[in-house]
Amino acid sequence: MKKGNYIVISGPSGVGKGTICKQVVENLKLEYSISMTTREKREGEIDGVNYYFTTKDDFKNRIKNKEFIEYAIYNDNYYGTLKKEVIDKINMGKNIICEIEVQGAKQIKKLFPFALLIFITPPSIEELRNRLLKRNTNDLDDVERRINIAKEEDKYKDIYDYVVVNDDLDKAILEVNNIIANKINN
Ligand code: 5GP
C-alpha cells in the first residue's frame, strides 16, 4: 500500500498556524496529529481535540517508554508527537498534518525524509506582537517570551521546504492548500 504523506507546519506562536491548519485539514481531508503537552489548557481548548493535556511526570514517563516520535521543551513546557498518532496511519496511506515548533520539525525531517515542511511567518515582529496581545490568552511576560522564541525560530527557516508569509489570511490558506495539494496528488 502507498504510504501517506507527513506534513509539518511550523511558525511562531500567534502567526495563525492553527487557523490555516484547520482550514486545510477540512479542504484536503488530512488527519490532524494531536500533540501531547504539559502546558495549561487555554480557554476553549478541549483535551483530546487541541492537545492531550498531561502532567510533567506523566510526560517524562512516556519519554522513558519511547512513546514519542519527537518532543521538545518550549516556554518551560513539554510538547511531543505520539507515535500512535502517526506511524500506523501513515502506513495505512493517510495524510498526516501536525503543528510543531522547529526543534521537532528538524527531528521529523531526519526520521521521515519524505516529510513536507512548511514555515508560516508573520509580516513583521510588531504585527506578531499585536496578534499575540489580541489573542489575550497569554499574560504580557508570556507574550514577550513567545516573541523572543519567534526571533530564534526564524533562524531555522532554511530547513523548511516552503516559507509562507501570513499577511492576508485567505491568501496564506490558499498558498498552503496548494503546496499540500500538489504534494499529495503527485
Ligand atoms: P502553544 O502553546 O502556542 O499551543 O504551542 C507552542 C509551540 O509548541 C508552537 O510552536 C507549537 O507548534 C508547538 N508544538 C505543539 N505541539 C508540538 C509537538 O508535538 N512537538 C513539538 N516539538 N512542538 C509542538
Side-chain angles (χ1 to χ4, degrees), residues 121-166:
T121 179
S124 67
I125 286 288
E126 289 69 38
E127 176 57 24
L128 184 67
R129 185 178 281 112
N130 288 340
R131 290 183 197 174
L132 280 170
L133 289 170
K134 252 196 231 145
R135 184 154 84 180
N136 209 16
T137 44
N138 305 300
D139 60 39
L140 287 183
D141 284 348
D142 191 67
V143 167
E144 285 316 312
R145 277 200 302 274
R146 282 168 188 266
I147 289 288
N148 285 331
I149 298 171
K151 287 180 186 164
E152 275 306 305
E153 288 198 323
D154 199 67
K155 297 177 189 157
Y156 291 85
K157 276 192 314 212
D158 290 355
I159 69 160
Y160 289 80
D161 300 300
Y162 294 90
V163 176
V164 173
V165 182
N166 182 12

Side-chain angles (χ1 to χ4, degrees), residues 80-137:
T81 307
L82 291 160
K83 287 180 184 166
K84 75 166 179 62
E85 284 288 305
V86 176
I87 312 267
D88 291 348
K89 294 180 182 173
I90 286 190
N91 288 336
M92 280 158 57
K94 291 191 171 151
N95 295 314
I96 308 291
I97 187 165
C98 68
E99 250 179 79
I100 65 174
E101 53 68 69
V102 293
Q103 303 299 330
K106 247 168 90 174
Q107 293 179 57
I108 287 184
K109 189 73 188 175
K110 223 163 120 188
L111 292 168
F112 303 85
F114 62 89
L116 172 68
L117 271 57
I118 304 174
F119 191 88
I120 318 280
T121 179
S124 67
I125 286 288
E126 289 69 38
E127 176 57 24
L128 184 67
R129 185 178 281 112
N130 288 340
R131 290 183 197 174
L132 280 170
L133 289 170
K134 252 196 231 145
R135 184 154 84 180
N136 209 16
T137 44

Side-chain angles (χ1 to χ4, degrees), residues 9-14 17 32-37 39-40 42 45 50-51 59 68 70-75 77-82 98-105 107-108 132 135 138 142 146 149 153:
I9 307 278
S10 301
S13 180
K17 309 190 283 292
Y32 184 71
S33 157
I34 304 167
S35 295
M36 183 164 271
T37 184
R39 83 144 158 75
E40 293 277 312
R42 290 191 196 123
E45 285 183 328
N50 305 90
Y51 281 107
F59 200 104
F68 295 103
E70 63 74 33
Y71 69 90
I73 295 174
Y74 175 101
N75 201 11
N77 276 301
Y78 287 91
Y79 293 79
T81 307
L82 291 160
C98 68
E99 250 179 79
I100 65 174
E101 53 68 69
V102 293
Q103 303 299 330
Q107 293 179 57
I108 287 184
L132 280 170
R135 184 154 84 180
N138 305 300
D142 191 67
R146 282 168 188 266
I149 298 171
E153 288 198 323

Side-chain angles (χ1 to χ4, degrees), residues 51-66:
Y51 281 107
Y52 298 113
F53 293 95
T54 192
T55 59
K56 285 188 176 156
D57 281 345
D58 177 61
F59 200 104
K60 285 182 200 163
N61 264 328
R62 290 172 190 270
I63 295 173
K64 268 198 219 128
N65 295 338
K66 303 203 181 330

